[in-house]
Amino acid sequence: MKKILVFIFCIIAFNANAIEKKTTFNKDLFDKAQSEGKTVVVSSWIKYCTSCASQMKVLNKAKNEFNNIEYFSFDVRNKEIAKLLDVEYQTTLLIFKDNKEIYRSIGETTKDLIYKAIKSSI
């Protein structure tokens, strides 16, 4: 019985993480943010990816701590966006400043390293 309850809990927890994920990337908004001189952070994810959920939690906290930054995310299976940004893997984190990509990581979920990358772009 205990195993069944643990299994049900895991299913609910993973589904909750999946619900949080949605594509917010929009090419027009991305271009506008860059033209306004903002730092732009883009992350990729895929449904049921635990490292994606971990990275998103860090980025959600960062949204509250760093001003003048635009955050976008997208499902890496969206081939149009993935091709535009040259992203092949989920949990890819990109930072743009002055219309240039200045940071790229794959699989980074550590708060300290993500914050360091964001701080260096401001």
Side-chain angles (χ1 to χ4, degrees), residues 36-55:
E36 292 174 350
K38 294 182 180 179
T39 298
V40 179
V41 176
V42 182
S43 64
S44 68
W45 53 268
I46 196 165
K47 193 174 184 179
Y48 302 119
C49 170
T50 56
S51 64
C52 300
S54 296
Q55 186 182 76

Side-chain angles (χ1 to χ4, degrees), residues 18-71:
I19 292 170
E20 290 178 348
K21 299 174 188 172
K22 66 178 186 174
T23 294
T24 61
F25 183 88
N26 175 293
K27 176 75 166 101
D28 292 333
L29 294 176
F30 174 76
D31 291 341
K32 181 179 183 233
Q34 288 196 86
S35 70
E36 292 174 350
K38 294 182 180 179
T39 298
V40 179
V41 176
V42 182
S43 64
S44 68
W45 53 268
I46 196 165
K47 193 174 184 179
Y48 302 119
C49 170
T50 56
S51 64
C52 300
S54 296
Q55 186 182 76
M56 289 179 93
K57 286 178 186 176
V58 172
L59 291 173
N60 284 334
K61 289 179 183 178
K63 287 177 189 178
N64 296 323
E65 296 183 34
F66 298 102
N67 295 323
N68 203 34
I69 295 179
E70 289 290 329
Y71 296 87

